[in-house]
Amino acid sequence: VVLNRPAERTLYELAEHHDLVYYGDDSLYQGGQANTKALVMLHTDDWECTNTLNIGGGFRISSDNTMLSRIFTGDEPRQWRMFVGMSVWSPMQLHTEVFALPNSKKKSSWLITDATEELVFRDDYERAWKSAVEQAACDAVQGFFSIS
């Protein structure tokens, strides 16, 4: 999912559409261009519902009919972000883009670092981006100078 693109609708409007009440000020995010009717929640691993996928690193993704009512009544994980839509790739497409072979004509333009709660759930998108780039650069330098 795209982490830093607020959706046109708000969580308040989403709650209203489902005949639920929500008084929080959390944003709804546009997770990507595919399956724009899908509603998914990326969250910390301290919460689950009947359709929760553990994605590692202390994170889970959930999508279930009771998820909204639970969240809107205060039954929520420590950190979470709700998305409409998602980004998708065909099998091996993302892997090929991220890990382009050194002798390949196609070069990778991806920076990779470990996800942290601070990076994923930060509301200051510009600062989160800069922090992620800084961390990816540090990771790359560590890889070049690792001592065996």
Side-chain angles (χ1 to χ4, degrees):
V1 292
V2 178
L3 295 176
N4 61 353
R5 188 179 305 146
E8 292 178 13
R9 295 174 61 192
T10 65
L11 274 175
Y12 176 82
E13 292 170 322
L14 180 66
E16 195 173 60
H17 177 76
H18 289 278
D19 295 322
L20 298 167
V21 176
Y22 181 65
Y23 296 110
D25 60 356
D26 299 286
S27 297
L28 181 63
Y29 294 86
Q30 181 63 49
Q33 298 303 314
N35 203 2
T36 57
K37 302 245 188 248
L39 185 66
V40 296
M41 182 175 64
L42 175 65
H43 57 89
T44 50
D45 63 2
D46 58 330
W47 190 92
E48 66 183 314
C49 61
T50 58
N51 190 24
T52 296
L53 176 65
N54 188 2
I55 58 174
F59 299 98
R60 293 178 177 171
I61 291 182
S62 295
S63 181
D64 143 311
N65 291 335
T66 65
M67 179 177 70
L68 284 179
S69 60
R70 287 180 60 191
I71 293 297
F72 294 162
T73 58
D75 178 8
E76 59 186 30
R78 184 175 61 259
Q79 299 262 1
W80 59 277
R81 191 167 278 186
M82 194 77 64
F83 300 88
V84 291
M86 59 190 73
S87 301
V88 297
W89 288 266
S90 61
M92 293 304 295
Q93 179 185 5
L94 182 60
H95 185 272
T96 301
E97 285 183 27
V98 173
F99 302 106
L101 297 173
N103 298 330
S104 166
K105 290 181 182 179
K106 182 176 171 107
K107 300 296 180 196
S108 176
S109 58
W110 290 74
L111 294 174
I112 301 169
T113 191
D114 291 333
T116 64
E117 285 184 37
E118 181 185 358
L119 289 177
V120 171
F121 299 114
R122 190 176 208 161
D123 287 330
D124 180 354
Y125 311 130
E126 187 174 328
R127 188 66 207 135
W129 172 257
K130 287 178 182 179
S131 294
V133 170
E134 288 170 9
Q135 185 59 48
C138 288
D139 294 347
V141 169
Q142 288 291 341
F144 289 128
F145 295 107
S146 65
I147 300 174
S148 302

